[in-house]
Amino acid sequence: MKTISTLALTMALALGAHWSAAADLRPTSQNGVTYLSGGVGEEERQAMLDARGDYKLLLTFSTKGSGEMLADVAVTIRDHAGKEVASLVSPGPMCYLDLAPGSYRILASAHGKEISRTAVVKPRGRRELYFYWDPV
């Protein structure tokens, strides 16, 4: 499980580190669900924010208290009938999904702990969910 410290990110940027990950950020499809996941590094985070309008469900993963962003979070999306519609490991702290309108259960697992949330995706607009884990 990777954590991304804001201080570490700021220091790396100050030292001239450059992330080309934003160029590699591409939507992926699974079972008819298109998703985009990332947000590691300033360029990739901005690319994710720029893409928000293309997705109906926006997930963000972080640590309680510090706000440290989490990567490598296992995510499973189930529809109202309990059928799995997508299962992935989010390589970054942001995961955006383009789901059909309906009711979904989102299971996110990090640090050996699973958090479950429900979301109703409507034909218009976006639904944002935030997942917070206790510090390790």
Side-chain angles (χ1 to χ4, degrees), residues 11 14 36 53 74 82 112:
M11 289 176 59
L36 185 66

Side-chain angles (χ1 to χ4, degrees), residues 56-57 79-80 97-104 119-125:
K56 299 275 187 198
L57 182 63
D79 66 13
H80 69 282
L97 299 107
D98 190 22
L99 296 166
S103 180
Y104 297 91
V120 174
V121 174
K122 297 183 178 182
R124 295 184 190 166

Side-chain angles (χ1 to χ4, degrees), residues 52-73:
R52 290 170 54 93
D54 297 333
Y55 298 89
K56 299 275 187 198
L57 182 63
L58 312 175
L59 310 177
T60 302
F61 313 113
S62 64
T63 303
K64 287 180 187 173
S66 70
E68 216 171 1
M69 304 301 273
L70 295 178
D72 297 329
V73 174

Side-chain angles (χ1 to χ4, degrees), residues 36-135:
L36 185 66
S37 182
V40 177
E42 188 59 35
E43 286 180 33
E44 192 172 292
R45 184 177 84 68
Q46 189 58 53
M48 289 293 296
L49 292 173
D50 291 345
R52 290 170 54 93
D54 297 333
Y55 298 89
K56 299 275 187 198
L57 182 63
L58 312 175
L59 310 177
T60 302
F61 313 113
S62 64
T63 303
K64 287 180 187 173
S66 70
E68 216 171 1
M69 304 301 273
L70 295 178
D72 297 329
V73 174
V75 178
T76 301
I77 311 289
R78 296 186 183 279
D79 66 13
H80 69 282
K83 179 183 174 193
E84 184 175 297
V85 295
S87 182
L88 61 114
V89 174
S90 180
M94 301 171 178
C95 182
Y96 300 166
L97 299 107
D98 190 22
L99 296 166
S103 180
Y104 297 91
R105 175 159 300 281
I106 298 89
L107 306 167
S109 182
H111 303 306
K113 294 188 180 174
E114 186 176 82
I115 298 174
S116 175
R117 300 265 191 275
T118 57
V120 174
V121 174
K122 297 183 178 182
R124 295 184 190 166
R126 288 181 292 286
R127 176 78 163 102
E128 294 186 57
L129 294 177
Y130 298 88
F131 294 80
Y132 300 99
W133 282 267
D134 290 324

